Amino acid sequence: MAGTDLIAELEARNLIHDSTDRDALRDAVASGPVALYYGCDPTADSLHVGNLIGLIMLRRFQDAGHRPVALAGGATGMVGDPSGRSDERNLLDDDTLNHNVAAIKAQLSRIVDIGDGRGELVDNRDWTQPITILEVLRDVGKHVTVNQMLARESIKLRVNSEHGISFTEFSYMLLQANDYLWLHDHLDCTIQVGGSDQWGNIIGGVDLIRRKRQTAVHAFSWPLLTAADGSKLGKTTGARVWLDASKTSPYALRQHFLQTADADVRQQLLTFSLRPVAEIEELAAAHAEAPQRRIGQRALADDVVTLVHGRE
């Protein structure tokens, strides 16, 4: 994939929903290599198919010669992200988080090449736990207005909901913004990526770096994957399709993708398959001519299971 316009490819795959300045993002990637990060909170001891988009995004950038940073949010997982939630998450203890982070690291490293300077795997507890409350208020909170935070759609929905939002969850955005600042300072990260429900949190980090370092960094999000009922496809909402073989077997994972609706096959291939866009368009056309043969679903299911569990 090296030498191609990666942003144009992602646009062709319908994988850019929101972004900071698109031309600046395109120029940064084209003049690379760049370091980018995707984070997921270890609220369970397995990632799920919703997270898979982020892992494959890191893989796409790595295959194009860039350096991916996968963040396991041990610290933010202790607080709980209010995005896409109508109630507060259960707070996890250290032992549970340690177990979850270890399990997630194993899943991450099967999809993204970690180590030898090719990719990084980090846990935000390493830099967040040593910080005092006074340092958070002075070094992060001072640069973020409550007006900005209340303007985020995910916060607005919770403030006006039956359960409201705790100060703990309200502060989640500050911790995630600080993650981007730390990764920018220490690992030269200049792009953050995530699902569209994370956009408010992601922009918080872009703003913090601009205010504290007087430099522009980049970010983009992809459209959320939804279950058949329209709900967010995740660990605690919608259908549960896990990447851990003991929770969702390779057979069951393959069956999940074999059952993809004909109308969704092309977009699911564009989202989850590493095949070139032109090859996917050919597959989609062949599928449309004879949907009863399920050519598209078989290719999709085989590609995902191979990526997650290995060819064997």
Side-chain angles (χ1 to χ4, degrees):
M1 205 187 287
T4 63
D5 183 344
L6 183 55
I7 298 302
E9 169 159 341
L10 296 177
E11 288 170 335
R13 291 178 181 270
N14 301 314
L15 287 178
I16 300 186
H17 185 271
D18 301 292
S19 75
T20 49
D21 185 293
R22 191 73 60 92
D23 291 334
L25 173 64
R26 196 185 310 275
D27 290 346
V29 172
S31 62
V34 297
L36 78 156
Y37 97 92
Y38 166 68
C40 42
D41 287 344
T43 48
D45 60 358
S46 175
L47 299 174
H48 53 83
V49 292
N51 297 126
L52 189 54
I53 304 175
L55 304 190
I56 295 173
M57 186 65 73
L58 293 182
R59 172 69 174 270
R60 293 188 198 285
F61 272 81
Q62 186 168 59
D63 287 349
H66 303 287
R67 183 163 54 92
V69 177
L71 182 146
T76 38
M78 285 180 159
V79 171
D81 180 8
S83 303
R85 303 274 305 179
S86 59
D87 55 359
E88 186 151 359
R89 296 179 192 276
N90 293 325
L91 301 184
L92 303 178
D93 58 46
D94 267 324
D95 289 343
T96 304
L97 277 166
N98 288 334
H99 169 74
N100 292 355
V101 168
I104 284 171
K105 282 181 177 179
Q107 293 169 13
L108 279 164
S109 58
R110 286 205 296 273
I111 295 168
V112 181
D113 191 3
I114 301 298
D116 297 326
R118 282 184 42 76
E120 307 272 351
L121 189 54
V122 295
D123 180 347
N124 60 13
R125 267 184 302 179
D126 293 345
W127 61 83
T128 307
Q129 277 190 326
I131 305 174
T132 67
I133 183 70
L134 291 176
E135 288 172 315
V136 171
L137 294 174
R138 184 191 63 198
D139 298 337
V140 182
K142 183 172 174 56
H143 299 277
V144 184
T145 69
V146 172
N147 308 55
Q148 282 178 305
M149 296 172 77
L150 288 172
R152 306 296 185 214
E153 198 58 38
S154 58
I155 300 293
K156 266 196 279 193
L157 289 171
R158 283 297 299 280
V159 168
N160 297 320
S161 71
E162 176 189 349
H163 301 285
I165 185 169
S166 70
F167 182 77
T168 301
E169 282 189 309
F170 189 60
S171 65
Y172 183 96
M173 188 185 296
L174 300 181
L175 297 183
Q176 186 167 328
N178 190 59
D179 286 345
Y180 198 175
L181 178 66
W182 192 95
L183 292 169
H184 177 260
D185 288 351
H186 294 84
L187 294 179
D188 200 27
C189 266
T190 54
I191 302 176
Q192 183 184 176
V193 299
S196 58
D197 64 329
Q198 283 290 307
W199 188 242
N201 292 337
I202 290 171
I203 284 297
V206 172
D207 288 343
L208 181 65
I209 292 168
R210 178 177 56 81
R211 290 169 185 273
K212 292 205 69 169
R213 300 291 180 260
Q214 288 76 53
T215 189
V217 291
H218 314 285
F220 68 87
S221 70
W222 47 82
L224 274 190
L225 193 65
T226 54
D229 63 0
S231 63
K232 177 184 169 183
L233 199 62
K235 299 183 287 288
T236 48
T237 58
R240 291 173 174 82
V241 182
W242 304 92
L243 305 189
D244 186 317
S246 66
K247 290 177 175 289
T248 298
S249 70
Y251 172 81
L253 182 65
R254 188 167 190 274
Q255 289 300 117
H256 169 77
F257 283 97
L258 280 176
Q259 291 163 17
T260 301
D262 290 328
D264 297 334
V265 166
R266 176 180 171 276
Q267 185 55 54
Q268 296 260 22
L269 278 165
L270 288 168
T271 299
F272 291 108
S273 178
L274 293 174
R275 299 172 193 242
V277 172
E279 185 181 333
I280 289 171
E281 296 295 8
E282 288 175 12
L283 259 174
H287 175 81
E289 283 181 20
Q292 71 279 5
R293 292 174 58 199
R294 306 185 75 71
I295 295 169
Q297 283 96 338
R298 292 178 198 280
L300 173 65
D302 288 349
D303 286 3
V304 172
V305 175
T306 300
L307 196 59
V308 174
H309 296 297
R311 191 166 296 281
E312 68 279 3

